Amino acid sequence: MAKTRKLALMALFVAIALTIFMIESQLPPIAPIPGVKLGLANVVTLTAMLILGRKEAGAILAVRILMGAVFAGSPASLLYSAAGGFLAYLVMCLTVKHFQENQLWIVSALAGVAHNAGQLLACVLIVQTPGVFAYAPILAASGVITGCFTGFAAMYLTRALRKSGAS
Amino acid sequence: MDKKTKIWIAVLLSVVLLGLLGFFALSHLGGGTIAVITVDGQEYQRIDLSRVTESYDIEIDTKYGYNTVHVEPGRISVTEADCPDGICVAQGAIDRGGVPIICMPHRLVVKIEGSGIDG
């Protein structure tokens, strides 16, 4: 892929991810449990990883998290999403090569659990209350469910993009 | 479907089931009557819920944001918050120690501890 084309695609992915992130942050929470959310912007990170590569996906994720905190969050929410995003990205990088593309939902489920683990750790560090770990079981469960969902979404998006010849 | 996929389905499904079960168990277990409100890791107020006879509100206004904590006989809840998601309000009241109420953006935790006087 030509350098300019890649740069343009990456910028496009950041814009889409940021838009999804902003819209999701305006929606009412799906459950009255802190940390439980769909994480739809993760669809973009996963798709970018398959189409552009791991490094590019990491860059897109980092820019999205930073800009997301500027537009929709606070310094505290930056810490939460950075901790979650970094761990999820690490898990994705380590596992993505071991699964086929139609098993992307497994990679995404593991990344979802990692994301919630990172966020919970950041939260415990910030509020300095170990009792917050009581949320670990439900956050693990929610990470798997939302991860599967975003994984399937990313798989179909990648297929459609390849078919259309856009990548 | 190959064997690897089946194993992963089993693993992930058990994480979901155990997680849900664990959370359900935690939120129905745990005793205690001492409610402890902390902001940014610092204790803000400590209330013995077993001695509360009339409901009242505590207004918590810190540099992180604003919350109203509603104290009732035997239970405690967050009833107002100016955070964007309002999850702490949606969590409702707690009357036992298992799962604390958290307002992540305001670094606020409301938990219930054992009934000992020393806390």
Side-chain angles (χ1 to χ4, degrees):
Chain A
M1 201 181 292
K3 225 176 165 183
T4 324
R5 189 180 163 78
K6 195 173 210 176
L7 191 65
L9 258 179
M10 283 173 72
L12 189 64
F13 273 141
V14 169
I16 295 169
L18 194 59
T19 309
I20 295 174
F21 181 77
M22 298 280 293
I23 291 173
E24 197 186 343
S25 74
Q26 301 305 312
L27 295 176
I30 54 171
I33 298 162
V36 174
K37 57 180 263 183
L38 269 173
L40 285 173
N42 189 45
V43 174
V44 177
T45 314
L46 271 168
T47 307
M49 193 171 275
L50 292 181
I51 285 177
L52 297 170
R54 293 194 276 203
K55 249 188 266 165
E56 289 77 3
I60 291 166
L61 176 68
V63 175
R64 190 263 292 168
I65 288 174
L66 271 176
M67 292 178 81
V70 171
F71 290 124
S74 56
S77 67
L78 172 64
L79 253 164
Y80 299 130
S81 34
F86 176 72
L87 261 193
Y89 175 69
L90 206 69
V91 167
M92 273 185 223
C93 286
L94 292 173
T95 54
V96 76
K97 296 278 173 219
H98 299 284
F99 292 96
Q100 286 151 9
E101 214 167 286
N102 64 359
Q103 293 173 317
L104 191 65
W105 59 274
I106 302 175
V107 174
S108 183
L110 294 174
V113 175
H115 176 274
N116 287 356
Q119 208 161 49
L120 186 64
L121 274 175
C123 182
V124 170
L125 284 178
I126 288 175
V127 302
Q128 291 167 34
T129 311
V132 173
F133 275 125
Y135 283 97
I138 192 71
L139 287 179
S142 114
V144 170
I145 295 169
T146 59
C148 284
F149 182 78
T150 53
F152 276 114
M155 184 184 82
Y156 288 119
L157 180 60
T158 307
R159 279 185 191 166
L161 281 174
R162 290 216 170 107
K163 219 176 183 178
S164 73
S167 53
Chain B
M1 200 185 294
D2 63 8
K3 201 177 160 196
K4 191 177 164 190
T5 310
K6 280 183 188 159
I7 292 174
W8 275 106
I9 289 177
V11 169
L12 295 174
L13 210 60
S14 7
V15 170
V16 172
L17 289 176
L18 285 175
L20 291 174
L21 204 72
F23 185 69
F24 184 77
L26 273 173
S27 47
H28 286 81
L29 289 175
T33 56
I34 312 288
V36 183
I37 303 169
T38 56
V39 178
D40 201 17
Q42 302 293 312
E43 188 172 317
Y44 188 90
Q45 203 164 328
R46 182 175 283 260
I47 307 139
D48 188 346
L49 294 176
S50 65
R51 291 186 192 175
V52 175
T53 49
E54 238 169 274
S55 304
Y56 63 96
D57 286 337
I58 302 170
E59 287 174 8
I60 299 174
D61 203 355
T62 66
K63 62 177 170 180
Y64 304 112
Y66 173 82
N67 295 76
T68 305
V69 174
H70 186 57
V71 183
E72 295 166 79
R75 56 186 217 156
I76 189 163
S77 54
V78 177
T79 46
E80 244 179 276
D82 63 355
C83 57
D85 52 20
I87 285 178
C88 50
V89 176
Q91 273 180 274
I94 53 168
D95 58 1
R96 56 191 75 229
V99 180
I101 298 174
I102 310 172
C103 178
M104 285 216 292
H106 297 173
R107 307 189 180 192
L108 173 84
V109 178
V110 181
K111 59 174 177 172
I112 295 181
E113 288 183 352
S115 46
I117 293 164
D118 53 280

